[in-house]
C-alpha cells in the first residue's frame, strides 16, 4: 500500500514545479551520493533526480528507497492497512522542515551560514538578543506551502477584536452535498457566535462575554493545498464513513475571503483521488497537469486525459452511486507572478 501511496504523493509533489526545482537544487548542492546517510529529504531528492534525469519518455521508477525510509521513520506506514494520503502529506512536509532546520543549526555550529533559500523571518537576528527566542527558519518548504490564518474574536460588549495567527500547510475543509470549493471556503470563514457555555474571556472586560469568531486567510500560500474532509466519524455507527458528496473544484480558483479582501488567483495542477466506498479500504490515483496537458496516474499506468474529464472526480450527486472516484486533496498554484 505504501509503495503505492508514496508513488501517488510523490507524483503530485513532483509536478509542483517550484518545489521540484528547489528539491533538485538541494540534491545537486549537497552532492548526495549512494553512501550518504538516508533521511526522507535525501531519499525524496534522490527519487526526483532519478525521474528528472530519465532520458526515456516512458518507464517506471519505483520509490523503493523512499518508501523503505518512510516505513523506518514512522510505524504507521509499516503495515499493509489502508493509510491516509492527507496524513502522509502532512507527515512528509513537516519531516522535510525538521531536517532542513537541523541542517541549518548544524551549519551554524560549524561556523557556516544558512543557504539563501533558508532565511530567518524578518531578516538577520539582533546580535545582542542573546537568550531571546530565535525567529523560526523559513525554508523553501515554507515558501511554497505555508500560508497564515488569523483567528479574529470580537467581544460583543466592548467591540475589542482579538486576533491570533497560525501557520498552515494545507486547509482542511468540511464538505456538504452538491457544494463547491468556493462555498466550502466561505463556510470555513463564516462568523460563529460564542455564547452560553462557549463564552469568550475578554481581557478588556476581564470577564466572560458573548463574542463573534471567524477564521480568515491572512497570507495566502504560493501553493494552496486543499484537503476535503471526506471521512467523517458517525456516532450512531461507531465508525468512520466516506462522504461521496459532489464538491465542484474549479480549474481556476479565486480566493476572496482573505484579510486584505483582495482576490488571490490560483490554477489547479494536481488532484489526489480516493477510489473506494469506505475509509478502511480503497486505492489512490492522481491527476496532474504538465505542459498544459492533464495526465492520469494509476500506479505504473499513465494516460493522457481531456481537461473535461477532471469533473468526473467531483463526487456523486446521489448518496448511493456506483462512482467511487472522488477528489480528496487538491493542489493549486498561485497565478501571481510577482509573489515572493
Amino acid at each position: 500500500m505504501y509503495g503505492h501511496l508514496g508513488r501517488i504523493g510523490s507524483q503530485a509533489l513532483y509536478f509542483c514545479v517550484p518545489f521540484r526545482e528547489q528539491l533538485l537544487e538541494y540534491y545537486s548542492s549537497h552532492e548526495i551520493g549512494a553512501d550518504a546517510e538516508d533521511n526522507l529529504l535525501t531519499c525524496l531528492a534522490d527519487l526526483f533526480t532519478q525521474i528528472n534525469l530519465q532520458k526515456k519518455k516512458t518507464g517506471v521508477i519505483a520509490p523503493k528507497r523512499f518508501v523503505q525510509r518512510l516505513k523506518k521513520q514512522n510505524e504507521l506506514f509499516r503495515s499493509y492497512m489502508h493509510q491516509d494520503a492527507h496524513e502522509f502529506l502532512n507527515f512528509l512536509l513537516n519531516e522535510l522542515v525538521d531536517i532542513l532546520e537541523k541542517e541549518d543549526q548544524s551549519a551554524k555550529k560549524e561556523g557556516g551560514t544558512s543557504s539563501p533559500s533558508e532565511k530567518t523571518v524578518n531578516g538577520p537576528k539582533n546580535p545582542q538578543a542573546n537568550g531571546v527566542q530565535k525567529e523560526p527558519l523559513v525554508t523553501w518548504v515554507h515558501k511554497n506551502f505555508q500560508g497564515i490564518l488569523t483567528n479574529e474574536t470580537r467581544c460583543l460588549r466592548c467591540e475589542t477584536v482579538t486576533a491570533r495567527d497560525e501557520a498552515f500547510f494545507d486547509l482542511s475543509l468540511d464538505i456538504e452535498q452538491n457544494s463547491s470549493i468556493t462555498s466550502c471556503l466561505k463556510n470555513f470563514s463564516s462568523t460563529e457566535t460564542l455564547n452560553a457555555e462557549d463564552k469568550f474571556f475578554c481581557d478588556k472586560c476581564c470577564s466572560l462575554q458573548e463574542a463573534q469568531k471567524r477564521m480568515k486567510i491572512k497570507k495566502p500560500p504560493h501553493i494552496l493545498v486543499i484537503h476535503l474532509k471526506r471521512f467523517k466519524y458517525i456516532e450512531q455507527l461507531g465508525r468512520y464513513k466516506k462522504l461521496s458528496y459532489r464538491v465542484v473544484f474549479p480549474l481556476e480558483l479565486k480566493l476572496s475571503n482573505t484579510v486584505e479582501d483582495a482576490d488571490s488567483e490560483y490554477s489547479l495542477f494536481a488532484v489526489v483521488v480516493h477510489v473506494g466506498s469506505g475509509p478502511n479500504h480503497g486505492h489512490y490515483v492522481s491527476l496532474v497537469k504538465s505542459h498544459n496537458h492533464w495526465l492520469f496516474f494509476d500506479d505504473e499506468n499513465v494516460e493522457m486525459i481531456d481537461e473535461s474529464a477532471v469533473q468526473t472526480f467531483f463526487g456523486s450527486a446521489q448518496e448511493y452511486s456506483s462512482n467511487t472516484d472522488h477528489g480528496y486533496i487538491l493542489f493549486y498554484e498561485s497565478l501571481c507572478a510577482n509573489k515572493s
Side-chain angles (χ1 to χ4, degrees), residues 288-306:
V288 296
K289 189 177 184 181
S290 178
H291 300 97
N292 289 321
H293 294 290
W294 280 94
L295 303 170
F296 176 82
F297 286 84
D298 183 357
D299 285 347
E300 291 86 2
N301 302 314
V302 184
E303 60 180 283
M304 193 175 291
I305 59 171
D306 193 75

Side-chain angles (χ1 to χ4, degrees), residues 60-103:
V60 176
I61 293 177
K64 288 181 183 175
R65 185 178 167 195
F66 174 72
V67 171
Q68 282 173 352
R69 184 67 213 182
L70 184 67
K71 287 179 177 178
K72 187 176 179 182
Q73 199 88 12
N74 192 319
E75 61 183 298
L76 275 177
F77 306 141
R78 287 173 204 156
S79 74
Y80 286 93
M81 295 286 287
H82 183 72
Q83 302 292 346
D84 186 78
H86 180 239
E87 287 180 8
F88 165 74
L89 179 66
N90 259 319
F91 173 75
L92 178 61
L93 293 181
N94 282 295
E95 188 64 25
L96 298 186
V97 166
D98 286 347
I99 294 166
L100 290 169
E101 286 174 345
K102 284 172 186 170
E103 287 185 357

Side-chain angles (χ1 to χ4, degrees), residues 197-251:
E197 293 177 359
D198 296 325
K199 281 184 180 178
F200 169 73
F201 186 88
C202 175
D203 289 336
K204 190 167 182 182
C205 297
C206 295
S207 60
L208 290 168
Q209 296 293 335
E210 289 192 354
Q212 285 185 330
K213 175 184 173 183
R214 67 174 179 175
M215 189 82 82
K216 295 197 85 174
I217 297 169
K218 184 174 184 178
K219 183 188 173 194
H222 182 58
I223 303 296
L224 175 64
V225 181
I226 294 177
H227 161 235
L228 302 181
K229 292 161 81 170
R230 288 201 175 272
F231 303 112
K232 184 179 182 180
Y233 187 77
I234 310 294
E235 287 195 23
Q236 299 94 313
L237 300 174
R239 60 179 170 82
Y240 281 89
K241 179 188 177 185
K242 181 181 177 183
L243 304 178
S244 59
Y245 298 161
R246 177 179 167 84
V247 182
V248 175
F249 46 88
L251 298 174

Side-chain angles (χ1 to χ4, degrees), residues 5 28 46 91 122 141 171 230 238 249-250 279 289 298 310 329:
L5 185 48
S28 59
D46 178 62
F91 173 75
N122 299 330
V141 178
L171 290 180
R230 288 201 175 272
F249 46 88
K289 189 177 184 181
D298 183 357
V310 174
I329 305 174

Side-chain angles (χ1 to χ4, degrees), residues 264-280:
S264 298
E265 295 188 9
Y266 286 88
S267 179
L268 184 72
F269 71 87
V271 182
V272 172
V273 174
H274 181 270
V275 180
S277 57
N280 299 318

Side-chain angles (χ1 to χ4, degrees), residues 314-331:
F314 288 167
S316 312
Q318 293 84 31
E319 186 176 349
Y320 299 102
S321 169
S322 58
N323 175 21
T324 64
D325 305 4
H326 309 119
Y328 183 48
I329 305 174
L330 315 174
F331 292 79

Side-chain angles (χ1 to χ4, degrees), residues 18-19 22-23 26 41 92-105 108 114-121 135-147 169 219 222 340:
F19 176 81
Q22 283 157 330
L23 192 57
Y26 173 90
L41 178 57
L92 178 61
L93 293 181
N94 282 295
E95 188 64 25
L96 298 186
V97 166
D98 286 347
I99 294 166
L100 290 169
E101 286 174 345
K102 284 172 186 170
E103 287 185 357
D104 182 73
Q105 288 166 5
K108 283 173 182 169
S114 56
S115 72
S117 63
E118 296 165 10
K119 296 174 183 173
T120 51
V121 177
E135 291 282 8
L137 185 72
V138 178
T139 68
W140 40 266
V141 178
H142 290 107
K143 288 189 173 185
N144 280 301
F145 294 100
Q146 184 173 273
F169 278 154
K219 183 188 173 194
H222 182 58
S340 58

Side-chain angles (χ1 to χ4, degrees), residues 27 40 54 62 105 110 149 164 169 200 215 301 328 332:
Y27 184 91
L40 274 183
Q54 186 77 4
Q105 288 166 5
E110 293 167 12
L149 293 170
R164 180 172 55 84
F169 278 154
F200 169 73
M215 189 82 82
N301 302 314
Y328 183 48
Y332 284 91

